[in-house]
Amino acid sequence: MKIVTAASAGTVESSDIIVRIEPREEKGLEIHLTSSVMQQFGKKIEKVIRETLDGLGVENARVEAVDKGALDCTVRARTAAAAYRAAERTDYEWRTKE
Amino acid sequence: MKLRRSMMFVPGNNPGMIKDAGIYGADCIMFDLEDSVAITEKDTARFLVYNALTTIDYGGIELVVRINDLSSGLGIQDLEAIVRAQPDVIRLPKTENAQDVIDCEKEIERIEREAGIPVGKTRMMAAIESAEGVLNAHSIAKSSKRLIGIALGAEDYVTDLKTTRSDGTELFFARGMILNAARSAGIDALDTVYSDVNNEEGFIAEATLIKKMGFSGKSVINPRQIEPLHKVFMPSEKDLAKARAIMDAIKEANARGSGVASLKGKMIDRPVVLRAQYLLELAGMADYGKEG
């Protein structure tokens, strides 16, 4: 999935995370995260963002995220929504729950 | 029998409320992708509800998702995501006629087949929110085996009638139609929301009215409304004692091999037994008299 524009999803409300994704000239994912629970969960949240983008085939992007204590499923939802918006695509792939 | 006294609305784009939705004791949680979600956030809400349904364990509470109506184009996109996330029930808004349910069911069935989900697993409910819908309540209620209930959506309905919400007079016909249509189809009848969350007295009065009428339950928009609502549906000790006595008499008659049971000299008819069973179910004692 190619990121073609800057887009975001989420809010700065408690239990949410706002994820902003924009194109990156260089290869790879550059993730900047600030979180109200940075000390305890910063690495975990960044891992969820990275895994979500890997799963969508996003190879090059700059990500800025501000977390307010979001659950992993919220991090995944906001990251995926921002990625589709930034890729200007709506051909969502929904996996069947196991 | 599945109790559906309270169906709690949870805005689909609010992670905090989605996270906590399971802790308030509601019989059903209804994640909303429709009116509580801004048109610019339909995609993000869909991602959020999909990810919650596929991740969070709500401990067996019945999970319902209110999708957007199919004519908006958003409803199909909602179904593509939500059917795969397998909530218990999809709630169709603004149901005008039986064809609306049939059209939605067709899409659900297609997605179930594509996703490898057993056909028929996804149940449905239909919200009736217009004069046309109310007049078609009977055929709507009988339009699909997937339907677990039909519900009144009063805000749009009163607007359609060119009136406003007041003391309930304006909803009397719609409630009567929806209730009788649902019962005739053997499914649940769910009442509309009571929007003034600070008016507990008004809420209890409305809950008491719809319970008396025969409704299965009511939509709630705030967790504070759940406990008073359940209290309204809780049978009195006196009624429960009578229900238990009826079930004891039935059990005793069965033990004697007699097909006729009586209590204090009065024969117990089938409707009396059914009412007693329903009261015990409301009190969480559905198995009373069945054991042993």
Side-chain angles (χ1 to χ4, degrees), chain A residues 76 78 85 94-95 97, chain B residues 13 40 43 50 84 86:
Chain A
R76 277 198 297 276
R78 296 313 197 189
R85 284 177 166 186
W94 305 105
R95 291 201 186 129
K97 183 184 177 184
Chain B
N13 208 26
T40 51
D43 56 338
Y50 169 87
R84 287 176 171 83
Q86 298 176 63

Side-chain angles (χ1 to χ4, degrees), chain B:
Chain B
M1 185 189 76
K2 167 81 186 100
L3 285 184
R4 297 192 178 93
R5 298 164 299 179
S6 54
M7 193 166 276
M8 185 174 76
F9 268 106
V10 176
N13 208 26
N14 187 321
M17 290 180 77
I18 289 174
K19 182 185 74 171
D20 294 338
I23 66 176
Y24 301 108
D27 290 332
C28 318
I29 300 170
M30 178 164 44
F31 301 104
D32 182 31
L33 298 177
E34 201 213 10
D35 286 349
S36 70
V37 177
I39 189 74
T40 51
E41 296 299 330
K42 295 294 185 185
D43 56 338
T44 56
R46 199 180 295 127
F47 270 106
L48 205 52
V49 172
Y50 169 87
N51 276 279
L53 287 170
T54 51
T55 310
I56 299 174
D57 180 358
Y58 287 101
I61 301 173
E62 187 167 63
L63 303 177
V64 182
V65 179
R66 179 166 79 167
I67 61 165
N68 291 278
D69 66 289
L70 295 195
S71 65
S72 69
L74 293 164
I76 295 283
Q77 294 182 55
D78 293 339
L79 287 176
E80 292 286 355
I82 300 304
V83 172
R84 287 176 171 83
Q86 298 176 63
D88 298 294
V89 181
I90 301 271
R91 173 168 162 143
L92 182 64
K94 298 181 175 60
T95 314
E96 297 276 296
N97 51 49
Q99 193 61 44
D100 288 344
V101 178
I102 293 164
D103 290 346
C104 186
E105 176 169 30
K106 206 170 136 191
E107 296 298 335
I108 290 173
E109 184 172 330
R110 172 184 61 76
I111 297 164
E112 283 176 339
R113 286 185 198 283
E114 286 173 11
I117 298 166
V119 170
K121 184 181 179 216
T122 315
R123 310 300 300 273
M124 295 173 71
M125 62 182 292
I128 293 174
E129 308 180 47
S130 67
E132 177 75 8
V134 166
L135 291 170
N136 288 328
H138 186 233
S139 58
I140 289 170
K142 293 197 167 184
S143 59
S144 168
K145 283 185 178 156
R146 291 180 192 249
L147 283 173
I148 54 108
I150 53 175
L152 171 62
E155 296 303 328
D156 284 320
Y157 173 71
V158 294
T159 306
D160 197 24
L161 284 195
K162 304 207 184 306
T163 182
T164 52
R165 295 282 301 267
S166 57
D167 60 356
T169 312
E170 73 288 355
L171 296 180
F172 194 68
F173 178 75
R175 282 180 169 143
M177 280 289 282
I178 286 171
L179 177 64
N180 281 279
R183 296 308 182 206
S184 141
I187 60 176
D188 281 341
L190 284 315
D191 191 47
T192 187
V193 297
Y194 188 82
S195 308
D196 185 358
V197 290
N198 292 321
N199 184 356
E200 190 173 318
E201 199 183 327
F203 175 76
I204 290 171
E206 184 166 281
T208 305
L209 170 74
I210 62 107
K211 196 246 173 190
K212 265 189 200 167
M213 286 184 79
F215 274 86
S216 316
K218 187 168 177 62
S219 295
V220 297
I221 50 166
N222 190 298
R224 275 159 52 198
Q225 295 178 324
I226 295 168
E227 196 186 335
L229 178 58
H230 288 189
K231 271 191 186 156
V232 166
F233 272 85
M234 188 67 187
S236 68
E237 266 312 313
K238 192 179 157 198
D239 288 342
L240 276 178
K242 194 176 164 193
R244 281 193 296 261
I246 288 164
M247 299 313 287
D248 288 343
I250 295 286
K251 199 174 167 185
E252 195 205 343
N254 286 343
R256 278 191 281 111
S258 166
V260 183
S262 63
L263 184 65
K264 292 179 184 167
K266 280 188 192 167
M267 200 176 86
I268 302 173
D269 294 331
R270 186 173 145 74
V272 174
V273 178
L274 292 177
R275 281 201 298 274
Q277 279 173 340
Y278 181 59
L279 281 183
L280 290 165
E281 280 165 1
L282 284 176
M285 300 159 73
D287 291 332
Y288 186 86
K290 289 179 187 166
E291 68 275 4

Side-chain angles (χ1 to χ4, degrees), chain A residues 13-24:
Chain A
E13 300 285 316
S14 174
S15 301
D16 205 347
I17 179 171
I18 183 161
V19 179
R20 185 175 188 277
I21 301 181
E22 60 182 44
R24 184 172 191 257

